[in-house]
Every structure is written in structure tokens, then in C-alpha cells.
Amino acid sequence: DAMVIQNPRYQVTQFGKPVTLSCSQTLNHNVMYWYQQKSSQAPKLLFHYYDKDFNNEADTPDNFQSRRPNTSFCFLDIRSPGLGDAAMYLCATSSRPDGSYEQYFGPGTRLTVT
Amino acid sequence: GQNIDQPTEMTATEGAIVQINCTYQTSGFNGLFWYQQHAGEAPTFLSYNVLDGLEEKGRFSSFLSRSKGYSYLLLKELQMKDSASYLCAVKEGNYQLIWGAGTKLIIKP
């Protein structure tokens, strides 16, 4: 089945220790997104790619970086995680077969910072 | 500014009907989505409205009024598995979404 895969599902890192979260997709969608979601809050868009074009949200901290080496893979790097970065990180993809640009989500990575 | 409002929490009874409202104020509008999110899981797509009116899909229906900046999600024949958060999201441009904080729906037997 075509899908969005995130690894790992749960990640524990230490304060200040760099961490990388990964996302892959078999949908061949040209748009990929990274969201941060804290408990009972709306997903917050960090950045997105349209093909290889990178789009950073204005309020995304410099501590967060991303790479998309090819259509299928996308990575989120947190250079120096703080306690406030503990959250669920969601990867999503979209295409435009019918104009809706519906977003398909991976299962998420729950990040804990100790 | 951009704003999407939904009730924080609602409670309903198994087998009943519930309507979850969403009002929005955005600088642009290219469609409105409803997503379901179970605790600790990723959002899953429920519906998409771009024109005014009602879209029906099984037990779930979604309504849109663009002139009023208003949408609702109607859930019929509620089941315990419908206990989840329901997020309203507006597409402003071509593909970015503005998200509401979600409505937590609690279903009681």
C-alpha cells in the first residue's frame, strides 16, 4: 500500500544533543511538509518542499533544519533540542490529482527531550 | 489576521448525532478540510469542501458557507470509535493549510 512512513515512532534525546527524524513516502507526491504538534494544539507548519523548492515558515526557529535528498525522503534535523521542542512531529505529503491538495500524514514521531 | 475557531470539547451519546462547528477568518480561501485525529496518532482525512453546500460521505457530512466563513461536520449514528479530535483546516493558497486547534469529541455509552 502507498503510504507515508516515519522513523522512529518514539525518540528520546538529551537537551542540546542533535537529533534527526526521517520521513519517506511511496505516494510519489511532490509536496512534503513537516509539522510540530503539541498536546491539544493545532499542527504548526515548520516548513514544506514543493519538489526541491524549500519553504521555511517565518516563525520556525533556526534550530530546525530540513533536507530532501530526493522525492521519496525528507529529514528534520533539530540541532540543539530544548525542553520546549518536545512534541509530536508529523510528516505529510500532498499532490494535486483533483485540485484539493489533500494532505496524507505519517504516523508521527513523538520526541522527548530529557 | 488568520483565525479558525472550533469548540474545545463536546460530549455526545453513542447512536446519536453531533454537529461540530468551525468558523474561519483567513486572507484567502481555496477550500476547507476536516480531519480526524485519535489520541497519539496522525490526522486522517475526512472531507473537503470548496463550494457552498453539503458533502455527504457515509455517516459523516460536511457543510460549507463561504459567505459566512462557516463550516460544520455532522456525525450520525455515533460509535465509541468516533471518540477523537476533529480538526478544521482552511487552504489559503495553493497547498498550505491553516489549522484549528481541534474539537475533542467524547462519546458516552
Side-chain angles (χ1 to χ4, degrees), chain A residues 50-113:
Chain A
Y50 189 102
D51 293 323
K52 290 200 168 193
D53 292 335
F54 175 72
N55 297 272
N56 197 33
E57 292 301 298
D59 56 355
T60 298
D62 292 339
N63 197 24
F64 290 83
Q65 303 286 318
S66 181
R67 297 169 281 138
R68 189 180 186 185
N70 54 51
T71 301
S72 302
F73 287 88
C74 197
F75 299 96
L76 171 62
D77 301 308
I78 308 177
R79 293 192 295 190
S80 182
L83 297 178
D85 296 327
M88 175 77 91
Y89 289 87
L90 297 165
C91 174
T93 72
S94 70
S95 182
R96 198 187 173 185
D98 62 349
S100 69
Y101 270 113
E102 171 193 336
Q103 294 187 16
Y104 295 79
F105 285 84
T109 295
R110 182 163 295 282
L111 179 67
T112 300
V113 181

Side-chain angles (χ1 to χ4, degrees), chain B:
Chain B
Q2 302 167 340
N3 197 42
I4 297 184
D5 287 317
Q6 307 178 233
T8 303
E9 187 174 297
M10 299 180 70
T11 302
T13 305
E14 190 177 15
I17 299 173
V18 71
Q19 178 175 309
I20 302 174
N21 295 326
C22 171
T23 58
Y24 62 89
Q25 289 178 311
T26 56
S27 53
F29 182 85
N30 273 337
L32 186 144
F33 292 83
W34 284 96
Y35 279 80
Q36 180 190 60
Q37 187 175 26
H38 285 100
E41 298 182 12
T44 55
F45 170 79
L46 289 178
S47 69
Y48 171 68
N49 294 70
V50 64
L51 299 176
D52 290 352
L54 189 68
E55 294 278 344
E56 297 186 78
K57 193 185 288 187
R59 294 189 299 115
F60 293 7
S61 304
S62 57
F63 172 83
L64 175 67
S65 169
R66 289 171 296 171
S67 62
K68 295 181 180 177
Y70 168 70
S71 173
Y72 67 72
L73 180 70
L74 191 72
L75 293 77
K76 303 176 186 174
E77 300 169 18
L78 286 169
Q79 302 174 8
M80 297 303 293
K81 68 179 182 179
D82 297 329
S83 291
S85 287
Y86 292 85
L87 297 107
C88 171
V90 170
K91 186 171 65 169
E92 265 201 322
N94 285 333
Y95 46 89
Q96 287 173 267
L97 299 181
I98 309 298
W99 293 82
T103 298
K104 183 178 180 181
L105 178 63
I106 300 167
I107 310 295
K108 295 186 174 179

